[in-house]
């Protein structure tokens, strides 16, 4: 290999290492930010279960809670930047592929693109709230009802809402099943964990993932009902979905269990920030 070829190869390796370092930092910041949001939402839902708060148990409520803490403005901006990092990491998976033997497959790239779009929206909402500190874009419940109403007004809107609801139900079931089967093991550096740490990660990953999947699935069911009845008000955001658990025969205790699961998923997100293979 001549000198120029060696130089080009060295520059390529340097750029790849630099990109990898930046991508890893963005991903870990993103998982940390996600963990904070789920911790706060779960904590708010626990308070609702026991009649202790009137705040919304959704992203808006979590941001309001964070804003009232010491150095709240700094925390909000840090949270938004972390979510931007998550979006950038997902974008890098679209462009360069993700870890794993099929990380460059069209299916994985499409999933990464959907996740990137989702985190772009979430990061924008958090940064907008950090900039204004006056509103968080409305409650998730109102946003869900408004979006459902707009879609129902277009041709074939009823079918679109029903299909979206079924997709959310399927996504929730997929999340829960993968959590129970511990599929996240494929993405973790398990060799760096002690046996006790691995057990703790499994508790948070399985219980937290199952609770998160259940919430998704129930929200999807409400969307399907809204489509069948042609009634936007039947669609529910995160807060109303969580509150609906308290209306079951098990009462507030079911909501408390689901809320505790969301708290555990927040802790699991911190574990992902530490041990996730990026």
């Amino acid at each position: 290999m001549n000198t120029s070829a060696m130089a080009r190869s060295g520059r390529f390796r340097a750029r790849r290492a630099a990109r990898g370092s930046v991508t890893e930092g963005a991903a870990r910041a993103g998982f940390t930010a996600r963990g904070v949001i789920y911790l706060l939402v779960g904590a708010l839902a626990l308070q609702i279960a026991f009649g202790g708060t009137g705040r919304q148990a959704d992203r808006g409520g979590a941001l309001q809670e964070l804003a009232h803490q010491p150095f709240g403005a700094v925390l909000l901006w840090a949270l938004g930047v972390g979510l931007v990092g998550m979006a950038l990491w997902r974008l890098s998976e679209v462009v360069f592929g993700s870890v794993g033997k099929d990380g460059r497959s069209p299916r994985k790239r499409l999933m990464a693109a959907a996740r990137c779009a989702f985190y772009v929206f979430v990061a924008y909402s958090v940064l907008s709230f950090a900039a204004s500190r006056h509103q968080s874009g409305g409650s998730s419940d109102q946003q869900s009802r408004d979006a459902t109403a707009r879609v129902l007004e277009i041709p074939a809107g009823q079918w679109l809402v029903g299909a979206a609801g079924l997709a959310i139900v399927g996504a929730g079931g997929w999340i829960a099943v993968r959590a129970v089967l511990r599929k996240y093991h494929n993405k973790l550096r398990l060799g760096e964990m002690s046996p006790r740490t691995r057990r703790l990660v499994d508790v948070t990953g399985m219980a937290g993932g199952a609770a998160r999947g259940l919430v998704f699935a129930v929200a999807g069911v409400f969307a399907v009902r809204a489509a069948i009845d042609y009634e936007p008000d039947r669609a529910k955001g995160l807060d109303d979905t969580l509150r609906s658990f308290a209306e079951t025969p098990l009462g507030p205790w079911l909501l408390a269990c689901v809320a505790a699961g969301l708290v555990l998923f927040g802790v699991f997100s911190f574990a992902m920030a530490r041990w996730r293979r990026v």
Side-chain angles (χ1 to χ4, degrees):
M1 182 180 295
N2 58 39
T3 303
S4 61
M6 290 177 65
R8 285 195 300 270
S9 177
R11 287 195 297 269
F12 173 77
R13 286 195 296 269
R15 285 196 299 268
R16 184 171 62 181
R19 186 180 69 230
S21 178
V22 171
T23 300
E24 181 176 350
R28 303 202 188 288
F31 279 116
T32 301
R34 187 184 74 174
V36 170
I37 290 177
Y38 271 97
L39 274 178
L40 291 173
V41 170
L44 289 170
L46 279 172
Q47 293 179 46
I48 290 172
F50 299 108
T53 184
R55 202 180 294 281
Q56 297 279 318
D58 56 14
R59 185 173 61 252
L63 296 181
Q64 292 281 359
E65 189 72 20
L66 203 61
H68 287 86
Q69 303 305 312
F71 306 103
V74 175
L75 295 173
L76 287 169
W77 282 106
L79 191 68
V81 171
L83 291 167
V84 169
M86 179 71 93
L88 291 175
W89 171 53
R90 293 303 187 183
L91 179 61
S92 76
E93 290 189 320
V94 176
V95 177
F96 304 108
S98 57
V99 297
K101 60 182 180 181
D102 61 339
R104 296 185 179 182
S105 66
R107 181 179 67 86
K108 286 294 184 70
R109 290 180 188 269
L110 182 61
M111 291 175 62
R115 288 165 174 160
C116 175
F118 171 76
Y119 281 108
V120 166
F121 169 76
V122 176
Y124 173 78
S125 67
V126 172
L127 290 173
S128 296
F129 179 80
S132 66
R133 300 289 297 278
H134 298 300
Q135 51 81 31
S136 58
S139 71
S140 60
D141 305 315
Q142 189 61 50
Q143 290 173 352
S144 296
R145 288 191 289 267
D146 290 345
T148 302
R150 286 194 294 269
V151 176
L152 285 175
E153 291 174 356
I154 67 176
Q158 195 171 8
W159 291 99
L160 290 173
V161 172
L166 289 174
I168 295 172
V169 172
W174 181 76
I175 290 170
V177 170
R178 286 180 62 85
V180 172
L181 295 178
R182 297 184 294 184
K183 292 293 185 180
Y184 52 81
H185 277 191
N186 300 330
K187 300 177 181 180
L188 292 174
R189 300 195 301 269
L190 297 175
E192 298 181 10
M193 301 180 190
S194 67
R196 181 182 179 184
T197 298
R198 188 180 300 186
R199 286 193 296 270
L200 290 173
V201 169
D202 278 339
V203 169
T204 59
M206 294 173 67
R212 181 181 181 230
L214 177 61
V215 172
F216 269 71
V218 172
V221 169
F222 285 125
V224 172
R225 287 182 57 189
I228 293 174
D229 297 338
Y230 206 79
E231 179 52 65
D233 286 344
R234 288 195 176 274
K236 296 182 184 293
L238 178 56
D239 179 71
D240 272 353
T241 298
L242 287 170
R243 291 176 189 268
S244 70
F245 288 110
E247 299 169 1
T248 65
L250 294 176
W253 291 106
L254 179 57
L255 172 56
C257 289
V258 174
L262 295 181
V263 171
L264 289 175
F265 187 78
V267 176
F268 176 71
S269 295
F270 296 147
M272 293 288 276
R274 171 64 176 83
W275 288 291
R276 176 66 150 81
R277 291 192 294 114
V278 178

